[in-house]
Amino acid sequence: MAQTEKQSTTLLAIDPKLQMAPQIYGSIRQSILDLRLTPKQALSEKELALMLGVSRTPVREALIKLAEDGLVDIFPQRGTFVAPIRVAEVLEAQFIREALEVSVVARVAEISDPTIIARLQESLARQKRAVDNGDLDGFLAEDENFHFILSASVNLTRAWKVIQNVKGQLDRVRVLSLPEPGHLAELYEQHLAIVTSIESGNSAAAKKHMTKHLQQVFRTIDKLLAQRPEIFFD
Amino acid sequence: MAQTEKQSTTLLAIDPKLQMAPQIYGSIRQSILDLRLTPKQALSEKELALMLGVSRTPVREALIKLAEDGLVDIFPQRGTFVAPIRVAEVLEAQFIREALEVSVVARVAEISDPTIIARLQESLARQKRAVDNGDLDGFLAEDENFHFILSASVNLTRAWKVIQNVKGQLDRVRVLSLPEPGHLAELYEQHLAIVTSIESGNSAAAKKHMTKHLQQVFRTIDKLLAQRPEIFFD
DNA sequence: TCAAATACACTACCATGGTAACATGTCAAT
DNA sequence: ATTGACATGTTACCATGGTAGTGTATTTGA
């Protein structure tokens, strides 16, 4: 009873013309990822439905999907809770993402299609602008887009979906890490190295740079484990 | 109206003590994989609920999950249909599975834990028995278990779930391929080579053997494309 | 003959009510 | 003080009714 929802603003605007369930899913997911909904917090169907002004059915469907993402834990007849940040699951998410994205970038490098490279370079340009302007959100959005371009360019849309799903676990950790000066520029350089490898058709180099790029999260995890170990469970 | 359900036996026995939705999901999924439900066939919530003796809600949840697996297509306000076998999606499923399982087996080989190896060899023994007895179903079950052991032994349960999900696309193609003499023995030999590489801690060799093992499906696809191209869509 | 309009059947989607499983607090018995 | 029985409230799960959107057959108007 004590931990009812404090929530100041509504989770998100809902467009009644579109389907409810996907919107609710996205809304709750975003709230979990930026920690507006905190680990272990109770999320009852009824309460969320009331808050969002919809019925319990689409809320329930959204929660089921979030459970598949590992972002909520559903205990039948007991309750649904925001999943705690479990080190093992974060590491496994990283493992899956790395395996897939490294394979993807290898394929992109093997093809080394000029039109694909052009689109990647356009993304790089936008990233550079965001870095120069210190536009964190803009960079993160373009970072996401950069990785999407890689998968989509070789028609691996399902792989991208899997990456997106597991990435939730990683994003929740990332928002906990304080933004460091020069970090964005570093990420940009890594993206640049990846594209350069793709241009030269050097898939081995592309894989290496992608691996290094993705393994940045380990630094974040280590730092958080040292500075704020109470964040993690299990 | 013409393509109503012919279905002789019920899809599966439902245990009312357990949760409905997961059972229904498994039941329908199995029927799709062994082609008792054929591509493009209509699957309405109402009809399935009637057939299974449950309400529409858990059926709907099962269908949503199957849609995420890419095994059914849901067209809002129009209908739900068994997904056609799309070459691109089968190939992408193979890509994802290969990326993950190769990475998994590399990790297993790096660790090269004796107790894991022992469990793998027990599985190999069971496989050998199935091959000698010509027990196809028994071998397939143990084949599944073999790959599960690999993921589970290094605590990559989510990776296993992803593999399982995408593998549906591959299984549906596999059942179309006629069983060839000596094929099972061949698969057994490949498993053996993988375990041998793990024993020697040779992760590069393990990756190579796993890749070769998984890429067997390409043979099946090529053969089907030549012999029964009408099976595929898009 | 043929196109536009209309009626109809059917769908997935959402809302809502009922229920068994589960947690928790109260109180009696020892 | 501890345990066990019982009352009460809460939950996710399932059943079922209503609705807007969508195809299709039929009718209408030339």
Side-chain angles (χ1 to χ4, degrees):
Chain A
M1 187 67 67
Q3 59 181 25
T4 46
E5 196 56 27
K6 283 288 157 34
Q7 114 115 30
S8 47
T9 66
T10 54
L11 292 182
L12 199 92
I14 300 284
D15 182 349
K17 307 295 287 185
L18 305 176
Q19 291 189 164
M20 302 280 98
Q23 296 184 82
I24 296 167
Y25 165 77
S27 171
I28 300 177
R29 177 186 170 94
Q30 193 52 50
S31 295
I32 293 176
L33 293 191
D34 56 31
L35 299 180
R36 290 184 40 219
L37 297 175
T38 64
K40 300 265 184 183
Q41 179 171 354
L43 295 177
S44 85
E45 291 177 1
K46 195 185 294 187
E47 195 177 345
L48 286 169
L50 216 61
M51 283 167 42
L52 294 166
V54 298
S55 83
R56 300 184 329 260
T57 303
V59 171
R60 171 174 166 75
E61 289 170 7
L63 290 176
I64 290 174
K65 190 131 186 283
L66 288 166
E68 290 164 9
D69 290 354
L71 290 175
V72 308
D73 294 329
I74 299 177
F75 301 97
Q77 326 300 349
R78 289 203 284 142
T80 300
F81 307 87
V82 177
I85 299 179
R86 301 183 178 96
V87 189
E89 294 196 8
V90 176
L91 294 177
E92 180 162 10
Q94 157 63 16
F95 176 90
I96 294 170
R97 186 191 185 188
E98 183 179 318
L100 289 176
E101 289 229 53
V102 166
S103 296
V104 166
V105 81
R107 177 164 288 194
V108 176
E110 284 162 17
I111 296 179
S112 196
D113 178 356
T115 70
I116 295 173
I117 293 168
R119 287 175 58 193
L120 290 171
Q121 282 171 334
E122 290 167 21
S123 174
L124 282 177
R126 289 190 292 271
Q127 290 170 44
K128 181 109 179 53
R129 274 213 310 276
V131 171
D132 292 342
N133 299 341
D135 178 8
L136 178 60
D137 290 341
F139 183 85
L140 292 179
E142 192 57 39
D143 174 276
E144 179 113 341
N145 188 42
F146 178 80
H147 288 272
F148 167 74
I149 292 173
L150 287 174
S151 292
S153 68
V154 285
N155 296 317
L156 293 171
T157 60
R158 175 136 189 211
W160 173 245
K161 280 183 200 145
V162 175
I163 292 168
Q164 279 287 96
N165 286 346
V166 302
K167 203 162 84 68
Q169 297 285 343
L170 304 172
D171 289 338
R172 199 155 59 138
V173 170
R174 187 173 49 69
V175 300
L176 283 168
S177 68
L178 302 176
E180 301 175 36
H183 183 53
L184 260 48
E186 193 179 357
L187 293 178
Y188 169 77
E189 292 296 333
Q190 293 169 352
H191 286 172
L192 183 61
I194 290 170
V195 174
T196 304
S197 303
I198 293 172
E199 281 187 84
S200 59
N202 188 340
S203 72
K207 285 164 77 170
K208 218 187 74 194
H209 285 121
M210 177 62 83
T211 301
K212 186 139 196 177
H213 176 53
L214 296 179
Q215 288 188 349
Q216 289 277 1
V217 273
F218 291 141
R219 281 192 4 198
T220 303
I221 296 173
D222 288 342
K223 207 178 290 181
L224 283 172
L225 273 172
Q227 295 178 359
R228 304 181 56 187
E230 77 282 2
I231 290 294
F232 297 96
F233 297 82
D234 291 1
Chain B
M1 187 66 67
Q3 58 181 24
T4 47
E5 196 57 26
K6 283 289 157 34
Q7 114 114 30
S8 47
T9 66
T10 54
L11 291 182
L12 199 92
I14 300 284
D15 182 349
K17 307 294 287 184
L18 304 176
Q19 292 190 154
M20 302 281 100
Q23 296 184 81
I24 296 167
Y25 166 77
S27 171
I28 300 177
R29 178 186 169 93
Q30 193 53 50
S31 295
I32 293 176
L33 294 191
D34 57 30
L35 299 180
R36 290 185 39 219
L37 296 175
T38 64
K40 299 264 184 184
Q41 179 171 353
L43 294 177
S44 85
E45 291 177 2
K46 196 185 293 187
E47 194 178 345
L48 286 169
L50 217 61
M51 282 167 43
L52 293 166
V54 298
S55 81
R56 303 190 320 268
T57 304
V59 170
R60 171 173 165 76
E61 289 169 6
L63 290 177
I64 290 174
K65 191 131 185 282
L66 288 166
E68 290 163 9
D69 290 353
L71 291 175
V72 307
D73 294 330
I74 300 177
F75 301 96
Q77 326 300 353
R78 289 203 285 139
T80 300
F81 306 86
V82 177
I85 300 178
R86 302 182 178 96
V87 188
E89 293 197 7
V90 176
L91 294 177
E92 180 162 9
Q94 156 64 16
F95 177 90
I96 294 171
R97 186 190 185 188
E98 183 179 318
L100 289 176
E101 288 228 54
V102 167
S103 296
V104 166
V105 81
R107 177 165 287 194
V108 176
E110 284 162 17
I111 295 178
S112 197
D113 178 357
T115 70
I116 295 174
I117 293 168
R119 287 175 58 192
L120 290 171
Q121 283 171 333
E122 290 167 21
S123 174
L124 282 177
R126 288 191 292 271
Q127 291 170 44
K128 182 108 176 53
R129 274 213 310 276
V131 171
D132 293 341
N133 299 342
D135 178 8
L136 177 60
D137 289 342
F139 183 86
L140 291 179
E142 191 56 40
D143 174 276
E144 178 113 341
N145 187 43
F146 178 79
H147 288 271
F148 167 74
I149 291 173
L150 287 173
S151 292
S153 67
V154 285
N155 296 317
L156 292 171
T157 59
R158 175 137 190 210
W160 173 246
K161 281 183 200 144
V162 175
I163 292 168
Q164 279 287 96
N165 286 346
V166 301
K167 203 162 83 69
Q169 297 284 344
L170 304 173
D171 288 338
R172 199 155 57 139
V173 170
R174 188 174 48 70
V175 300
L176 282 169
S177 67
L178 301 176
E180 301 175 39
H183 183 53
L184 259 49
E186 193 178 358
L187 294 177
Y188 168 77
E189 291 296 333
Q190 292 169 352
H191 285 171
L192 184 61
I194 291 170
V195 174
T196 304
S197 302
I198 293 172
E199 281 187 84
S200 59
N202 188 341
S203 71
K207 286 164 75 171
K208 217 187 74 196
H209 285 121
M210 178 61 84
T211 301
K212 187 138 194 178
H213 175 53
L214 297 179
Q215 288 188 350
Q216 289 277 359
V217 274
F218 291 141
R219 280 192 6 197
T220 303
I221 295 172
D222 288 342
K223 208 178 291 182
L224 283 173
L225 273 172
Q227 295 178 0
R228 305 180 56 186
E230 77 282 1
I231 289 295
F232 298 94
F233 296 83
D234 290 0

